[in-house]
Amino acid sequence: MKIAFSILIVLLIILFSNAQAEQDETYVSFDAWEIGVNRVNNKVFRWILFHPDSDFPCLRIENLESGSHKLINRRDICSIYDKELQITHNFKQLSFLDIHNLKVSDARLLFDAELSLLSDSVVFMHCVVNILDDVFSDPDCNRVINKD
């Protein structure tokens, strides 16, 4: 009886440990490439850039409550619209992606994107996302003609 009880305790500990580990997995990603945090509109604004060669080559933006850090809203930017070509570039379908120069200014997230299209042409874009209290605007991206 004591052996059966001991086995039951060990099994419960293993099951609880596995369940706890599965919950923790949603909060940790080894694909996070760069992270930034700023205060915007009395809230905590966080952005997470995931590795461009990962299964999730996206830019995640979030608004969190100050103090509790409870998630208010989240948006994953996994594509951007090219006004010149009038198409949307899906980050997973690009042969090369580099998002850089991320910064927050006047309740806006600014970033530059370098996209290598399947046709081997490289496109440089400057993008702006407005950081609102309840929603984020779509990224407004414009081609940069002269990168220098």
Side-chain angles (χ1 to χ4, degrees):
M1 182 69 173
K2 287 184 180 183
I3 293 174
F5 183 72
S6 296
I7 291 172
L8 178 63
I9 295 295
V10 169
L11 288 174
L12 288 174
I13 290 171
I14 291 171
L15 288 174
F16 178 74
S17 298
N18 286 341
Q20 189 67 31
E22 287 175 14
Q23 288 177 345
D24 292 343
E25 286 179 25
T26 61
Y27 297 104
V28 177
S29 173
F30 293 114
D31 293 326
W33 188 251
E34 192 175 338
I35 299 171
V37 178
N38 295 84
R39 235 179 231 295
V40 178
N41 299 331
N42 295 323
K43 294 185 178 51
V44 176
F45 173 74
R46 174 172 59 194
W47 54 265
I48 305 166
L49 180 61
F50 293 91
H51 194 282
D53 293 331
S54 71
D55 290 334
F56 188 73
C58 300
L59 172 62
R60 174 172 286 166
I61 55 178
E62 300 173 325
N63 262 341
L64 310 167
E65 286 183 1
S66 293
S68 71
H69 294 162
K70 179 181 174 189
L71 182 66
I72 298 170
N73 60 338
R74 169 184 289 159
R75 180 168 192 172
D76 293 327
I77 300 170
C78 301
S79 62
I80 53 179
Y81 183 72
D82 187 336
K83 296 174 191 172
E84 186 173 311
L85 295 178
Q86 297 183 349
I87 62 169
T88 299
H89 298 294
N90 182 320
F91 294 166
K92 273 192 148 186
Q93 296 173 344
L94 298 171
S95 57
F96 176 78
L97 168 68
D98 183 22
I99 295 176
H100 53 275
N101 296 334
L102 288 115
K103 65 181 178 181
V104 175
S105 177
D106 299 324
R108 299 179 311 154
L109 173 67
L110 310 170
F111 64 92
D112 294 324
E114 182 178 345
L115 315 171
S116 183
L117 308 178
L118 296 176
S119 64
D120 292 329
S121 63
V122 177
V123 174
F124 299 97
M125 302 185 93
H126 179 72
C127 301
V128 177
V129 176
N130 292 313
I131 304 167
L132 308 171
D133 284 337
D134 296 330
V135 295
F136 299 114
S137 72
D138 289 332
D140 182 17
C141 300
N142 294 296
R143 285 187 178 218
V144 178
I145 296 172
N146 186 357
K147 182 140 178 12
D148 299 328

